[in-house]
Amino acid sequence: MRLALLAAVAGMALALPAAAQDLLVRGGTIHTGVENAPIAEAVLVRDGRIVFVGAVADLPDAPGVETIDLGTAVMFPGFTDGHAHLDGIGQRELTLNLEGSASIVEAMSRLSAWAESHPDGPIVGRGWIETHWPEDRFLTRQDLDAAAPGRVVLLGRADGHAVVASTPALEAAGITRDTQAPTGGDILKDDQGEPNGMLIDAAEQLVAALMPERDEAARRAAYREGFAFEARHGWTGLHFMSAPWADIPLLEQMAEAGEAPIRVYNSVTPDGAEALIASGPRQAADGRVITRAIKMYADGALGSRGAALFEPYSDAPETTGLMQMTREQALPVYEAALRGGIQIATHAIGDRGNAEVSDWYAEAMQAVPQGDWADGRDVRWRIEHAQILKPEHYGRFSDLPIIASMQPSHAIGDLHFAADRLGDARLDGAYAWKSLVDRDVIVVGGSDAPVERGDPLIEFYAAVARRDLNGFQGPDWRPQEAVSRDTALKMFTLWPAYASFREDELGTIEVGKRADFSVFDRDLMTVPEADIPTAVPVMTVVDGEVVWRAEGS
């Protein structure tokens, strides 16, 4: 089979897996990710494992093996989305998607159209963000009421840390001017002291009961959509953050049935902590789905001013953000996880949130004798996002150590408002990828989809360019924190493998490892930076199976 690449690939489709897991890939450019042998001419796969990497002249005989000639395409070790929400990605594809709305007017026009075509039941959507809107404000209940009169409407902000509710939704939930916000949340008010519809972080739970019930068929449909989205963008795996504990058996069943085209490494919601710690790590379908971590939340998000800061927000001096968890809540889970061999991944965005979590990690590790740690010293605990740090706290990541799981696209979106939220001085510790890498910290790259689009090309570009998709950076955006392309490749291949305890099986193209490959139509390591996000995925290979290919290729 020869991949005939066009200047642009017009269509994309999930492909049926190849009949066998034997494969020969040659031609084009093959980046192995191996420092002393970064380029290869050919790769041979037997039973899903790599058995040869090297020059065509040295290829062993491989009669009858399906051969892929890359032509002008370029192959990499499989890209792994180190932080994403698989269920949310699927739901985004099935519900009202407000991504890319250029204004409140446009967002509400989409809502009106959705309401007309879906006349029954509550309306649920997400993806709006106000940072580029000419109105320069959050949505309110009045906006929703005008666009969808009389309807229960719940629209999540892109960051997932705020939802705007319509007046009927607030009434159905019993939220009034006298309702007290739960700990770790906020109910925003208008000038008259009435709820304006915006519910921040923990306050989102006040309307959770209004969400439509999702039976197993609906959940399975969402996961299928999520898998399809990730595969067609070139991801061979993802670390599923906040995986619902109740959905783990479903994901395992889908994997055993061949319905999980890419790898999933689950970090479960806290309600599953006790059960997972008791059972220990679990896996299905020869490791296609692995569940080994617990996802905790320390604070909120920067955009909705929920990230916990040491000093007040520069553009809202009345608040320093919201902590979602206390030391007394965190330490028992952390200590039990050490004894049970379960990885901890804690969301922390603000400088205070990150400092608290690193303190709690250190305290838990001191409280539990090392001889009682199921994994010895190799616990590989993570902080998810690690967006705003005090530079004097970088050493906490290298000394403990802590894996920094970061999403480059956050930096190229947040650059348009982070300076307003933080002021200039605190940008010294913002999205500090290179400062951490220079201290030998493992920095895992991810997308946080559906918060962001979930495109590996955008993430790779953001890491090396530190500019938005229009090429804008601004004079104060710390360009020195951009990373090299070699580092960016590790952020999406080898380092996610390490963060999921699979660096011996994944992350590079080497003999003995599993045959996971991402193929794009151009060389991300050499093309001009501006051309990276316009590249096109061509093929996704997992365990030697072509699980997706571009139409016409």
Side-chain angles (χ1 to χ4, degrees), residues 123-136:
I123 299 172
V124 176
R126 69 170 296 157
W128 65 271
I129 188 165
E130 79 291 341
T131 51
H132 291 291
W133 285 353
E135 297 92 347
D136 193 26

Side-chain angles (χ1 to χ4, degrees), residues 180-200:
Q180 294 297 309
T183 301
D186 197 9
I187 301 170
L188 299 191
K189 307 287 181 63
D190 60 24
D191 293 340
Q192 285 73 48
E194 297 290 341
N196 70 4
M198 280 293 292
L199 306 173
I200 310 297

Side-chain angles (χ1 to χ4, degrees), residues 6 108 118 133 150 190 280 286 298 315 322 373 383 416-417 542:
L6 306 176
M108 293 302 93
H118 299 77
W133 285 353
D190 60 24
D286 192 27
D315 59 354
L322 300 166
W373 296 13
I383 289 182
H416 295 282
F417 67 83
V542 179

Side-chain angles (χ1 to χ4, degrees), residues 134-472:
E135 297 92 347
D136 193 26
R137 64 171 175 84
F138 290 150
L139 288 171
T140 67
R141 61 185 174 91
Q142 288 86 357
D143 297 319
L144 276 54
D145 296 345
R151 301 290 295 275
V152 170
V153 182
L154 302 169
L155 302 180
R157 190 175 184 272
D159 62 9
H161 287 264
V163 64
V164 61
S166 64
T167 299
L170 295 176
E171 292 173 348
I175 298 172
T176 70
R177 65 185 300 140
D178 298 320
T179 302
Q180 294 297 309
T183 301
D186 197 9
I187 301 170
L188 299 191
K189 307 287 181 63
D190 60 24
D191 293 340
Q192 285 73 48
E194 297 290 341
N196 70 4
M198 280 293 292
L199 306 173
I200 310 297
D201 286 311
E204 293 181 275
Q205 293 305 309
L206 298 175
V207 294
L210 303 179
M211 295 287 187
E213 288 289 331
R214 296 174 58 216
D215 60 14
E216 181 176 322
R219 285 155 42 221
R220 186 184 293 269
Y223 284 122
R224 284 175 176 158
E225 289 288 337
F227 278 128
F229 178 93
E230 293 282 289
R232 71 174 177 262
H233 281 81
W235 300 110
T236 62
L238 86 159
H239 295 183
F240 183 4
M241 291 294 143
S242 301
W245 175 246
D247 284 359
I248 299 305
L250 173 60
L251 287 167
E252 292 172 343
Q253 292 166 13
M254 292 181 73
E256 295 287 357
E259 296 180 71
I262 68 171
R263 302 188 189 285
V264 182
Y265 181 77
N266 289 314
S267 186
V268 302
T269 46
D271 64 296
E274 184 176 353
L276 180 59
I277 291 168
S279 71
R282 53 193 282 173
Q283 64 172 294
D286 192 27
R288 184 61 60 95
V289 172
I290 293 177
T291 305
R292 187 176 178 166
I294 302 165
K295 170 73 180 300
M296 311 284 279
Y297 279 87
D299 65 353
L302 188 67
S304 50
R305 299 187 184 89
L309 304 177
F310 282 109
E311 301 297 331
Y313 278 79
S314 297
D315 59 354
E318 69 279 5
T319 184
T320 58
L322 300 166
M323 288 296 292
Q324 302 292 304
M325 181 171 60
T326 66
R327 170 185 174 276
E328 290 70 27
Q329 292 169 324
L331 285 180
V333 180
Y334 291 173
E335 292 173 16
L338 281 174
R339 292 186 171 96
I342 299 302
Q343 187 184 39
I344 292 291
T346 306
H347 164 116
I349 288 181
D351 52 13
R352 178 162 59 99
N354 278 279
E356 294 273 24
V357 172
S358 60
D359 283 344
W360 298 341
Y361 280 6
E363 188 173 352
M365 292 178 187
Q366 290 168 1
V368 180
Q370 189 175 332
D372 293 343
W373 296 13
D375 291 319
R377 289 290 301 176
D378 196 20
V379 297
R380 306 190 191 186
W381 283 10
R382 307 161 51 141
I383 289 182
E384 303 302 313
H385 308 306
Q387 281 181 214
I388 315 299
L389 308 174
K390 283 182 172 290
E392 58 265 33
H393 291 167
Y394 293 158
R396 298 181 179 205
F397 285 80
S398 54
D399 293 345
L400 202 56
I402 300 169
I403 294 170
S405 173
M406 307 177 79
Q407 299 74 49
S409 59
H410 286 339
I412 66 170
D414 293 5
L415 72 86
H416 295 282
F417 67 83
D420 291 337
R421 298 283 192 274
L422 300 170
D424 182 71
R426 283 185 285 195
L427 295 182
D428 283 344
Y431 319 88
W433 314 315
K434 191 170 188 302
S435 290
L436 291 172
V437 169
D438 287 347
R439 288 164 174 77
D440 295 324
V441 175
I442 298 295
V443 177
V444 172
S447 75
D448 203 12
V451 174
E452 305 286 354
R453 178 93 284 261
D455 186 338
L457 299 166
I458 292 175
E459 299 300 334
F460 192 95
Y461 163 80
V464 302
R466 205 174 172 88
R467 298 175 180 274
D468 72 12
L469 295 177
N470 295 316
F472 175 78

Side-chain angles (χ1 to χ4, degrees), residues 1-5 9 11-18 23-27 29-30 43 45 66-71 73-79 230-237 261-262 456-457 515-522 535-542 544-553:
M1 176 182 69
R2 180 173 181 85
L3 294 175
L5 298 178
V9 180
M12 301 180 176
L14 281 174
L16 293 175
L23 192 66
L24 171 61
V25 184
R26 57 186 294 173
T29 302
I30 300 172
V43 176
V45 176
E66 180 184 11
T67 299
I68 294 176
D69 186 334
L70 291 172
V74 182
M75 189 169 86
F76 297 86
F79 274 47
E230 293 282 289
R232 71 174 177 262
H233 281 81
W235 300 110
T236 62
I262 68 171
L457 299 166
D516 289 8
F517 312 130
S518 299
V519 182
F520 303 102
D521 72 338
R522 66 197 67 177
V536 177
V538 171
M539 185 170 63
T540 305
V541 179
V542 179
E545 295 184 351
V546 179
V547 299
W548 175 88
R549 62 168 58 94
E551 289 182 2
S553 65

